Amino acid sequence: ENREDMLSSKSNRLTEALEEANKLFSGVSRAREAALDAQFLVLASNLGKEKANELHSDMTTFDSLAFAEDLLTFMGINRIEVEENDSDSEGISGGYLPSNAWHKLGEETEKYFKRAPSFHYMLGSFKSDPPVPRQRIERQKKTRGGEEKRAMPAQLKKMEESHQEATEKEVERILGLLQTHFKNDPDTPISFFDLVIDPNSFARTVENIFHVSFIIRDGFARLKLDDDKLPIIEPSKDNEGRQDDRSAGARNQVVISLNHQEWK
């Protein structure tokens, strides 16, 4: 209704209407009210556009050709008249710039910039040699034959077998000593600690206990406690060993604690 009044450059009715709409928008709680606010925003935008188009300013438009001519003149270009081409109706002017033309322009323009412009090449970056291709290291392909796969496990298996063979031989040696003693004197049991303890080596003592544990586990010998509650060891008879193999509850696992001080 007040379209003409709002479009007037001397009137602030459009600004007042926008301020009033901002106050009313804070109380919007329904969809219909929001739709009316959006409709008003569209009308206000159209009115603002028309009002801006009707404004008249005395500013002159930027002429790129005139600016280029003034710039070349400032840089000191020397004009050389050339003949008129047959295909063109207008004259073509040419010339060359002095060697310090760009330097002169830079000194003048640096007064209007508070920071230095970013560096860039006017005629493109310098030509650089292409990067040297890296020599490709070919990985060894996995063979399906299995010869290489068996190489390392075979070595480990061989070491494992040799260690196992050494353990078995030591266990058999100790068992042989135990059986030989009982053949010579079957009524005298052997003290467990007298059998396993090496007075000159703590490590050897631990190994002896480790090896004797296999003899006990497999049922070739058994441990008892004497009258002084100290362990004694004696070889098992064949019938006892077979019965122990059949019944898992006949044998018990025992953990022995032995430190260096106790060994001494």
Side-chain angles (χ1 to χ4, degrees):
E1 294 177 356
N2 301 322
R3 181 184 184 88
E4 298 298 332
D5 189 13
M6 286 188 174
L7 291 178
S8 174
S9 59
K10 298 180 180 180
S11 173
N12 292 326
R13 294 290 301 278
L14 183 59
T15 303
E16 295 173 356
L18 287 172
E19 292 177 353
E20 183 180 358
N22 286 335
K23 295 179 181 178
L24 294 175
F25 184 72
S26 59
V28 170
S29 60
R30 299 181 182 179
R32 178 56 183 167
E33 297 171 349
L36 290 174
D37 181 78
Q39 185 179 2
F40 167 75
L41 184 61
V42 173
L43 292 174
S45 300
N46 293 332
L47 290 174
K49 181 181 179 182
E50 293 183 17
K51 191 172 183 178
N53 292 333
E54 293 181 359
L55 293 177
H56 298 284
S57 61
D58 297 333
M59 297 177 60
T60 57
T61 57
F62 177 76
D63 188 354
S64 59
L65 294 178
F67 175 76
E69 288 291 335
D70 294 339
L71 186 62
L72 292 174
T73 302
F74 174 80
M75 296 169 69
I77 191 172
N78 294 325
R79 301 289 182 177
I80 301 177
E81 297 293 338
V82 296
E83 295 180 358
E84 188 178 18
N85 291 340
D86 296 335
S87 59
D88 297 334
S89 59
E90 296 179 358
I92 301 176
S93 60
Y96 64 93
L97 290 172
S99 58
N100 64 338
W102 291 105
H103 183 69
K104 181 179 180 181
L105 178 63
E107 289 181 345
E108 181 64 24
T109 54
E110 69 180 1
K111 303 175 184 178
Y112 305 98
F113 293 92
K114 294 184 179 180
R115 65 176 183 177
S118 59
F119 177 78
H120 66 279
Y121 299 101
M122 294 182 61
L123 300 177
S125 61
F126 291 113
K127 293 182 179 180
S128 59
D129 297 331
V132 180
R134 295 183 178 179
Q135 186 176 1
R136 184 177 180 181
I137 302 175
E138 296 184 358
R139 297 183 179 179
Q140 295 181 354
K141 297 182 179 180
K142 296 182 179 180
T143 58
R144 297 181 180 179
E147 297 179 359
E148 297 180 358
K149 292 182 179 179
R150 288 197 301 267
M152 195 61 183
Q155 295 177 4
L156 295 177
K157 187 176 181 181
K158 186 176 181 181
M159 293 173 60
E160 191 175 317
E161 289 177 355
S162 62
H163 180 70
Q164 184 176 358
E165 290 176 359
T167 303
E168 291 177 355
K169 290 180 180 179
E170 187 65 19
V171 171
E172 292 175 358
R173 187 184 70 84
I174 296 175
L175 180 59
L177 293 174
L178 187 62
Q179 292 174 346
T180 302
H181 173 78
F182 268 85
K183 285 181 181 179
N184 299 331
D185 191 1
D187 297 330
T188 305
I190 300 177
S191 172
F192 174 75
F193 292 115
D194 289 343
L195 176 67
V196 299
I197 290 179
D198 187 342
N200 301 319
S201 175
F202 176 71
R204 183 65 180 170
T205 301
V206 175
E207 289 182 359
N208 290 338
I209 297 175
F210 172 70
H211 292 141
V212 172
S213 67
F214 287 102
I215 300 175
I216 304 298
R217 184 200 65 178
D218 296 336
F220 292 107
R222 60 184 178 180
L223 287 175
K224 294 181 179 179
L225 295 178
D226 60 7
D227 296 337
D228 297 327
K229 300 299 180 180
L230 294 175
I232 58 175
I233 184 171
E234 61 182 9
S236 301
K237 297 179 181 180
D238 295 339
N239 294 334
E240 291 176 352
R242 291 174 183 175
Q243 291 177 0
D244 290 342
D245 291 338
R246 293 176 182 175
S247 59
R251 278 174 273 140
N252 297 321
Q253 297 289 339
V254 179
V255 179
I256 298 177
S257 175
L258 180 67
N259 55 31
H260 196 268
Q261 187 65 31
E262 293 173 346
W263 167 77
K264 286 185 177 181

